[in-house]
Amino acid sequence: MKKTYDYLIVGAGFAGSVLAERLAADLGKRVLVCDRRNHVGGNAYDHADAAGLLVHKYGPHIFHTNSAEIFAYLSRFTAWRAYEHRVLASVANQLLPIPINLDTINRLYGLRLTESEVAGFLARRAEAIATPRTSEEVVLSRVGRDLYEKFFRNYTRKQWGLDPSQLDAQVAARIPVRTNRDDRYFTDQFQSMPKQGFTRMFENMLDHDNIELALGADYRDLREEIHFGQLIYSGPIDEYFDFCFGRLPYRSLHFEHRTFDREWFQPVAVVNYPNEFDYTRVTEFKHLTGQRHTKTSVVYEYPRAEGDAYYPIPQPANAAVYAQYRELAQSVPEIHFVGRLGTYRYYNMDQVVGQALTLYKKLARAEAEEADGITPALGRSRVHDQSGRQSLLRSA
Ligand code: FAD
Ligand code: UDP
């Protein structure tokens, strides 16, 4: 006999795990979480490598947020290690602070400018662009062409396979420009790493009697084997709809993990290589985790067009295709798309947690209204057999 669940959740990353935890622990729902990978945590998954060093399988993940609510929520499942992220960029044979700050300018150009002088220095070079629309325009409008070319143009071309002029402003706008000496990558109020790693935090979230996990299980295979009420989907939205409006492009990465028989590899957790090599950056995990070890493990990131979907690509044409999928999704009330791939948004971890908590509140409200008899049950009138999805595909 097929097992029955209130919710099937596709993806055990931040989006899926937060929703599973809330629905199970707060509403007492029976939840099945599946992931086609053989582990929880999605892209934030970490594990001990062969040397016993804690590494992030899918590249460096640093937690930061300005939301006290999101930080408090995650703090139920982990203690934290205070950590402020610092990054250096290899430019003109030096390792210089990025985001660009006072020291970056002084060291790059051999100057001794003060904070107020550097503001004038940048203002004289910045190009007058009233409303920057592309990543190129954002950087030119802040620091001018020379710094753009040294720090941003080639990194972006390598990372995205696109010129910054082809990418939405939001991509390069992630990196601020500072006239002081603050060399932190993020200035968020809460910056820290889960003390025992992300995976342990996810395990604690998912450790509930009402939550079952199916790892190494693709939704497409599983959906025939069970009955479920509603579906929460954090995989790529275009794949869910069989690419009926065409493929949404995603940028992929190849990760090369290496362990060195020496205590340290580089001075900070991340060194960016805008202009040299095929990789964009190198991360040394011990800086992030605080682990002590005689060896050290690092990861090199090589951008790729093909492979696992890691980054939605912020461009107007892609937003237009996504809007078609979103509209289709909105017409299936018992299916909820969430997360970086489910909503095609270049979101950080905390933003995905925030989005999942918001969806949870909406679902909880709907459940409460349903219990009061205000609205009809979603997905309950029939055992879920994907007919909603298929009929939509026909009409799409
Ligand atoms: P994911 O973590 O991608 O989880 C989705 C899961 O769904 C995946 O595990 C996938 O296997 C599963 N899935 C998909 N389709 C199916 C299917 N059909 N059946 C079963 N399972 C399926 N954010 C930060 O805040 N700080 C950082 O420093 C940071 N660094 C990053 C570095 C890199 C290289 C990358 C790629 C991302 C980084 N991020 C960072 C972003 C962060 O990874 C995401 O915001 C977050 O992990 C997204 O969570 P999610 O649950 O939406 O998606
Ligand atoms: N970027 C750049 N040079 C750098 C760092 C970042 O050109 O040294 C640009 C690049 O386009 C990159 C984007 O800014 O993709 C966002 O950088 P971030 O470090 O936030 O990328 P992520 O950690 O999400 O890969």
Side-chain angles (χ1 to χ4, degrees):
M1 218 185 69
K2 289 185 178 182
K3 278 181 104 172
T4 300
Y5 301 88
D6 297 311
Y7 286 83
L8 170 60
I9 300 186
V10 180
F14 269 100
S17 299
V18 168
L19 280 152
E21 189 281 331
R22 291 288 69 212
L23 288 163
D26 207 35
L27 287 189
K29 297 293 172 189
R30 280 157 301 138
V31 178
L32 177 65
V33 182
C34 74
D35 203 300
R36 56 187 170 201
R37 290 168 165 163
N38 61 3
H39 58 71
V40 297
N43 285 338
Y45 171 72
D46 55 15
H47 68 106
D49 67 9
L53 284 150
L54 184 64
V55 300
H56 300 181
K57 181 167 183 177
Y58 307 100
H61 279 71
I62 296 103
F63 185 78
H64 56 101
T65 189
N66 278 318
S67 164
E69 184 197 349
I70 290 167
F71 191 67
Y73 172 71
L74 292 177
S75 300
R76 296 190 208 170
F77 312 104
T78 185
W80 299 95
R81 163 180 194 264
Y83 170 74
E84 289 185 324
H85 192 45
R86 287 183 170 76
V87 179
L88 296 171
S90 170
V91 170
N93 298 318
Q94 298 190 64
L95 291 183
L96 299 170
I98 177 94
I100 290 170
N101 70 8
L102 176 61
D103 290 316
T104 313
I105 307 281
N106 280 339
R107 287 177 50 201
L108 179 64
Y109 296 113
L111 300 170
R112 298 180 66 178
L113 302 177
T114 62
E115 218 173 303
S116 53
E117 286 167 344
V118 87
F121 176 96
L122 290 173
R124 281 190 296 281
R125 282 156 183 81
E127 294 188 10
I129 302 168
T131 314
R133 292 206 168 74
T134 66
S135 281
E136 178 183 63
E137 288 180 352
V138 164
V139 182
L140 291 177
S141 72
R142 289 174 173 179
V143 298
R145 186 155 294 273
D146 192 51
L147 289 163
Y148 164 70
E149 286 181 357
K150 286 188 163 71
F151 287 87
F152 287 91
R153 188 177 61 183
N154 296 333
Y155 187 105
T156 302
R157 285 181 172 178
K158 192 160 41 169
Q159 167 71 11
W160 299 95
L162 294 167
D163 190 79
S165 61
Q166 298 171 284
L167 275 170
D168 287 2
Q170 53 155 301
V171 176
R174 289 167 62 89
I175 314 300
V177 175
R178 306 200 183 108
T179 52
N180 59 20
R181 304 190 63 190
D182 188 347
D183 63 347
R184 295 171 304 161
Y185 208 64
F186 310 112
T187 49
D188 300 44
Q189 192 184 347
F190 305 96
Q191 305 187 38
S192 41
M193 298 293 288
K195 206 162 197 164
Q196 294 177 292
F198 285 103
T199 301
R200 178 67 69 84
M201 183 183 78
F202 281 101
E203 286 166 355
N204 291 339
M205 285 172 104
L206 294 167
D207 180 18
H208 192 284
D209 286 347
N210 287 350
I211 301 178
E212 268 179 55
L213 267 179
L215 296 176
D218 197 298
Y219 156 72
R220 282 169 184 266
D221 304 325
L222 198 70
R223 68 187 176 193
E224 311 300 342
E225 293 168 18
I226 58 165
H227 292 313
F228 56 95
Q230 298 188 50
L231 177 67
I232 292 173
Y233 190 88
S234 71
I237 188 169
D238 56 335
E239 182 183 324
Y240 179 85
F241 288 113
D242 292 331
F243 311 105
C244 64
F245 299 120
R247 278 180 188 267
L248 280 168
Y250 301 89
R251 193 66 173 161
S252 191
L253 292 168
H254 165 69
F255 299 101
E256 187 184 319
H257 285 268
R258 297 180 66 179
T259 300
F260 295 100
D261 197 3
R262 58 200 247 205
E263 198 174 356
W264 291 105
F265 182 76
Q266 59 190 28
V268 290
V270 173
V271 176
N272 287 356
Y273 292 92
N275 308 309
E276 314 143 78
F277 311 120
D278 290 339
Y279 46 85
T280 47
R281 59 186 177 189
V282 180
T283 300
E284 183 174 24
F285 291 103
K286 285 196 323 187
H287 292 284
L288 306 179
T289 60
Q291 191 174 0
R292 293 190 183 174
H293 200 290
T294 52
K295 297 185 181 182
T296 193
S297 289
V298 306
V299 66
Y300 297 74
E301 291 173 59
Y302 293 85
R304 294 273 191 272
E306 304 297 327
D308 281 359
Y310 291 124
Y311 292 85
I313 304 182
Q315 284 184 300
N318 304 342
V321 176
Y322 169 67
Q324 291 181 281
Y325 283 114
R326 189 185 53 201
E327 205 185 318
L328 180 54
Q330 279 166 351
S331 58
V332 209
E334 73 273 32
I335 308 177
H336 312 280
F337 291 87
V338 66
R340 184 145 142 148
L341 305 175
T343 59
Y344 202 67
R345 288 201 176 94
Y346 187 1
Y347 267 176
N348 293 326
M349 295 183 280
D350 65 318
Q351 294 170 300
V352 171
V353 174
Q355 189 192 42
L357 290 174
T358 301
L359 173 57
Y360 168 70
K361 285 172 198 158
K362 193 178 124 192
L363 295 175
R365 256 196 324 273
E367 295 273 357
E369 285 171 6
E370 182 192 320
D372 292 346
I374 299 171
T375 50
L378 281 181
R380 296 278 167 57
S381 49
R382 60 189 157 79
V383 170
H384 204 291
D385 60 0
Q386 291 305 302
S387 60
R389 174 177 167 273
Q390 280 160 13
S391 60
L392 272 157
L393 275 178
R394 276 197 296 277
S395 66

